[in-house]
Amino acid sequence: MIVAVHQGPFSQLPEALGAAAERGASLVVTAEMGTTGYAIGPAAVAERAEPADGPRARELGALAREHGVALVYGYPERDGDAVYNSAQLLSAQGERLANYRKTHLYGDLDRSQFSPGGELVVQADLDGVRVGLLICYDVEFPEPVRAHGLAGTQLLLVPTALMRPYERVADALVPIRAHESQLYVVYANRCDAEGELTYCGHSTVASPDETVAKAGDGPELIFAEIDSAVLTRPANTYLADRRPELYRCLTEGPQP
């Protein structure tokens, strides 16, 4: 499987999908809240939020089907009175395969705009690969990524809106998450400015062994091949050597 990351304006997504299809990519991953913008304020987010099967999902489904490429995109999801920071996976036929709501909200910016999601591991099968979804700040915690590793996720897709001066998350932390939990991580960022935020780019695709694709700080479409041999050959024995009986303090507090 070849995966592409679109690090550029969401308005250029049709061109990116076309270019990805020409290069043989079967999946394109885009940034967090790409359909509307991220730091746009609670009122604007609430106004633009729509259901997971809303007009934007149908529009992007048609676009994915036109180019024959699966797509992951970030958007504000409305469910009743609640608004979530969500990411949706569409198949190359335009079908909705998975929808994830960000579980770890980042500071006042997220908390003023969104409700937290309540389901940590959301997965789907895509071209014989078990795919999972997280969003931005989620991947900075080891527990969500480890939960995906234990649940059999092979390819973890992470739309993000990482701003300066936190480039080290993309450069250092993302490859470590891939290594310690034995999966591929596709971290798709922005590279523009929005209000007081400047997004740093540095989109990253990391395997359990190495960084296999890396973007700079400007608009770019990067490609990476997901090697099935890597998915079946552990780079380390971390998962097998865990001792969960000793980890109760992580959720239950110190034991007597």
Side-chain angles (χ1 to χ4, degrees), residues 4-23 25 28 30 60 63-64 66-67 69 71 220-223:
V5 175
H6 173 46
Q7 180 178 284
F10 197 79
S11 61
Q12 295 178 6
L13 181 61
E15 293 85 352
L17 287 176
E22 289 180 3
R23 288 277 299 271
V28 173
T30 64
L60 294 176
L63 189 63
E66 175 186 347
H67 293 283
V69 178
L71 174 65
E220 198 169 347
L221 185 65
I222 63 171
F223 294 85

Side-chain angles (χ1 to χ4, degrees), residues 11-245:
S11 61
Q12 295 178 6
L13 181 61
E15 293 85 352
L17 287 176
E22 289 180 3
R23 288 277 299 271
S26 55
L27 171 65
V28 173
V29 186
T30 64
E32 177 182 12
M33 288 286 288
T35 63
T36 60
Y38 173 52
I40 60 176
V45 166
E47 179 182 354
R48 300 178 190 182
E50 60 182 62
D53 60 353
R56 184 50 69 97
R58 294 192 292 273
E59 172 192 340
L60 294 176
L63 189 63
R65 185 166 57 251
E66 175 186 347
H67 293 283
V69 178
L71 174 65
V72 171
Y73 67 96
Y75 74 106
E77 179 193 356
R78 177 170 293 285
D79 186 358
D81 293 332
V83 175
Y84 298 95
N85 183 336
S86 295
Q88 186 144 241
L89 169 64
L90 305 176
S91 74
Q93 293 74 44
E95 301 167 334
R96 297 173 51 242
L97 297 182
N99 187 71
Y100 170 75
R101 297 166 173 175
K102 189 175 185 179
T103 53
H104 296 73
L105 299 184
Y106 177 72
D108 294 337
L109 180 58
D110 263 350
R111 295 188 183 100
S112 67
Q113 300 184 131
F114 306 110
S115 297
E119 185 177 4
L120 186 62
V121 177
V122 173
Q123 298 172 309
D125 290 318
L126 184 68
D127 295 345
V129 176
R130 193 66 169 166
V131 171
L133 297 169
L134 291 177
I135 297 174
C136 197
Y137 195 44
D138 292 324
V139 83
E140 298 183 37
F141 295 81
E143 294 88 352
V145 184
R146 178 53 55 84
H148 271 278
L150 293 173
T153 296
Q154 298 171 305
L155 179 61
L156 185 59
L157 310 175
V158 189
T160 192
L162 182 70
M163 68 286 292
R164 295 175 180 167
Y166 303 114
E167 291 91 340
R168 64 186 177 276
V169 173
D171 298 342
L173 189 146
V174 166
I176 291 299
R177 290 285 176 266
H179 181 70
E180 68 190 4
S181 287
Q182 294 298 287
L183 39 67
Y184 277 86
V185 178
V186 179
Y187 188 77
N189 198 22
R190 296 174 57 174
C191 60
D192 56 349
E194 188 177 58
E196 298 180 354
L197 302 181
T198 299
Y199 302 106
C200 63
H202 291 223
S203 293
T204 302
V205 181
S207 78
D209 299 310
E210 61 183 340
T211 297
V212 294
K214 186 74 176 176
D217 58 6
E220 198 169 347
L221 185 65
I222 63 171
F223 294 85
E225 183 170 1
I226 306 306
D227 186 348
S228 58
V230 171
L231 295 174
T232 58
R233 173 183 51 77
N236 57 58
T237 58
Y238 295 155
L239 297 184
D241 291 344
R242 293 172 66 254
R243 297 188 60 193
E245 73 276 8

